[in-house]
Amino acid sequence: MPINRREFMSTVATGVAVAAAPLAARTDEEDQKSAVAAPPSGLADPAFRPLPLGAVRPAGWLQRQLRIQADGLSGHLDEFWPDVAKSKWFGGEAEGWERAPYWLDGAIPLAWLLDDEPMKARITKYIDHIVTHQRADGWYSPYPEDAVAKRYDLWAILLANKVLVQYHELTGDARVLQAVEKSLRAMHAGLDRTPLYEWGKFRWYEGLVPVFYVWERTREPWLLELAHKLRAQGVDFEALFATEDLALPTPRRGLWKWTKHVVNTAMATKAAALGWRLDRRPGDRAFATKMIDVLDRYHGQVNGMFSGDECLAGRNPLQGTELCAVVEFMYSLEHLFSVFGDPAFADRLERVAFNALPATFSPDMWCHQYDQQVNQVQVTLNPEHQFTTNGPESNLYGLEPNFGCCTANMHQGWPKFLAHLWMKTPDEGIVAAAYAPSRAQFTSRGTPVAVSLDTDYPFRETLTITVKADKAARFPLVLRVPAWTRGATVRVAGGPEQPMKPGTLHRLERLWDGSVEVVVHFPMKVKATTRYNEALAIERGPLVYSLKIGEQWTRVNADKPHRELPHADFEVRPATDWNYGLIVDPKRPEASVRFEERPVGEKPFSPDGAGMVAKARGRKLPNWKLLRGWAAEVSPADVAWANPGRDSTEPVEEVTLIPYGCTNIRITEFPRTRG
Ligand SMILES: [Zn+2]
């Protein structure tokens, strides 16, 4: 078991039986010991097990956000976009590869977690088609009849099975589980004839998700043989990271490389976690953290992502990150926290979910970008762009800017985030992995328990959790305490405030009887971090703050197919000045940045719906202009703070910052200027 039992032992105080102990992450050494003792033919348990899909439901702003999503592109793509609407997977003649399964991967949890009956009805029809048209040899119908004998990349099948098990978990439709099992058998035989290559080889671990799901329900030994085969034939990322020179950004307008592909990389961050469940390889746990550290060091972006447009491209805030990488990194972090139980993975998940994810959609979620930029003062059809391998449309808000993969794959972000907010502990309790308004149901030793979280976090510091057990039951409620907070407290049933240690899992074990309120406070302190070219970024709690810029939206590409409103393409240009330097002392940012609460809007991630606004002081930098359609880079030599002779003589002004995720265009990494 990945949790150290000693850490779980509680010291029960008199009166209110509450025990709190931070949980320590296990070490590779402990893995090595358990690897010897572990049965050779089983899967290691994850530290925390996600609740069955459907057991966590949205509330508050997250409910509104999912509704916006279902009323936008996610809930309608299958009605008009040929690559889904007429997919070969559903009996049509359009694309028969990854696009329909990608859409289903997000649309299935979205429809069921919202109980959206029309979406559910359409999806059921599509799944019926996939299952009833599977061939007797186990191959799904879009693959050619000779697939059993010829060489075909298995990626779309790895993906489809991952999608189908979600449907099975939500509906219990036994035909679907049988179809997945049949497909996995065909794959097991097929891999001996044609080992993994290309996409399948770089994404082998996605195949473990359905293999583990079926194994946990059937305990068929051949499934674990298949899992070992996938791992053996797939890319070894630990070896790759030791050999590939990841410090080098892909040159602008450079070379597309499998090994630096940002989506592959984001997906692969969970390879060590899934692989560890299979064979507890010593080093998997440490490598999972190391892989992200390396990506941060050379390609890290303040929004929680690493750059990739669409290959890893350095720390420059202009370079951008592809949307597929954002949703895939979130899904990887959900697995990493579940398997290894390290709260740092869930801190990171929130950072991506509350910043990079919402920023890259229009507030109504009808339009998305291919690449979002941290410093993005305008998004235009730009032939002078400096993306590495992406094209001039890449940062437009639109239907399928640059390439349609994100159009198909973007839907999983919010629904899977919701599904992973709460997980079960190995001792029948529940852990709050990430925080957003939600309701969860689980059973603790047979007793049904409902947990609700009411909050406007991440726009507020206070979270109210209500635990209702059907009958009195003893179990732990484990709270993730973010590493960025100081002075965090928890108060149980109106009792005294107890301190909680940042960066730990805080355990509350008691007899839960009736309805018990747990009030959590995570103080958020403003931070100014120094980034690329010595620029400053303003952060507070899990949110990054950006300059609020007036926007002018212009419709483009109206002559292209399927660009009827509301799923059209748009450029956005600044309607107000963006070229400000900030007057902030990074050691005492609280002295010059002031935060004001606002109601969280109907559209929580929109410039006017921002639930928190910051006021800071800055000056315009007249020499800071557009270059090739983007905000020019400001080199360290031009940073006025370091070079007083070059400082701006413009008047000091108050500037408004809003959460990065609420912006459509923005400056996030600011040059420093003098007060
Ligand atoms: Zn994409």
Side-chain angles (χ1 to χ4, degrees), residues 380-394:
T380 57
L381 273 165
N382 179 10
E384 295 183 304
H385 74 86
Q386 295 294 300
F387 293 120
T388 63
T389 59
N390 294 157
E393 286 195 347
S394 296

Side-chain angles (χ1 to χ4, degrees), residues 75 87 205 228 409 427 578 583 648:
S87 169
Y205 40 83
H228 280 287
N409 189 19
D427 54 353
W578 54 264
I583 304 167
S648 165

Side-chain angles (χ1 to χ4, degrees), residues 488-524:
T489 58
V490 59
R491 183 196 291 269
V492 182
E497 272 190 350
Q498 303 172 50
M500 297 193 288
K501 195 173 159 200
T504 65
L505 297 172
H506 185 91
R507 184 181 161 86
L508 297 169
E509 175 144 12
R510 72 193 304 277
L511 192 67
W512 301 93
D513 197 0
S515 176
V516 180
E517 200 174 82
V518 176
V519 180
V520 175
H521 187 67
F522 293 137
M524 297 179 186

Side-chain angles (χ1 to χ4, degrees), residues 442-590:
F442 72 105
T443 57
S444 177
R445 295 187 188 85
T447 301
V449 182
V451 184
S452 61
L453 169 55
D454 294 291
T455 186
D456 275 335
Y457 179 92
F459 306 105
R460 298 291 185 274
E461 300 174 329
T462 302
L463 305 89
T464 303
I465 298 169
T466 309
V467 181
K468 272 188 205 163
D470 267 19
K471 59 182 199 300
R474 172 174 294 277
F475 59 84
L477 166 67
V478 180
L479 302 170
R480 182 190 119 251
V481 188
W484 46 255
T485 190
R486 296 291 177 270
T489 58
V490 59
R491 183 196 291 269
V492 182
E497 272 190 350
Q498 303 172 50
M500 297 193 288
K501 195 173 159 200
T504 65
L505 297 172
H506 185 91
R507 184 181 161 86
L508 297 169
E509 175 144 12
R510 72 193 304 277
L511 192 67
W512 301 93
D513 197 0
S515 176
V516 180
E517 200 174 82
V518 176
V519 180
V520 175
H521 187 67
F522 293 137
M524 297 179 186
K525 206 171 162 233
V526 61
K527 220 168 69 171
T529 45
T530 303
R531 301 197 58 89
Y532 186 79
N533 275 349
E534 295 175 29
L536 289 182
I538 302 297
E539 304 170 34
R540 183 174 177 274
L543 297 179
V544 177
Y545 284 78
S546 306
L547 182 71
K548 184 178 184 181
I549 301 174
E551 301 171 358
Q552 189 195 334
W553 288 64
T554 312
R555 196 170 158 197
V556 292
N557 288 341
D559 53 336
K560 283 196 172 183
H562 317 297
R563 300 305 203 282
E564 304 84 25
L565 288 168
H567 39 81
D569 288 359
F570 294 92
E571 293 183 330
V572 188
R573 286 189 171 75
T576 54
D577 289 328
W578 54 264
N579 54 338
Y580 285 93
L582 273 194
I583 304 167
V584 170
D585 176 356
K587 293 198 186 75
R588 289 180 58 247
E590 64 281 3

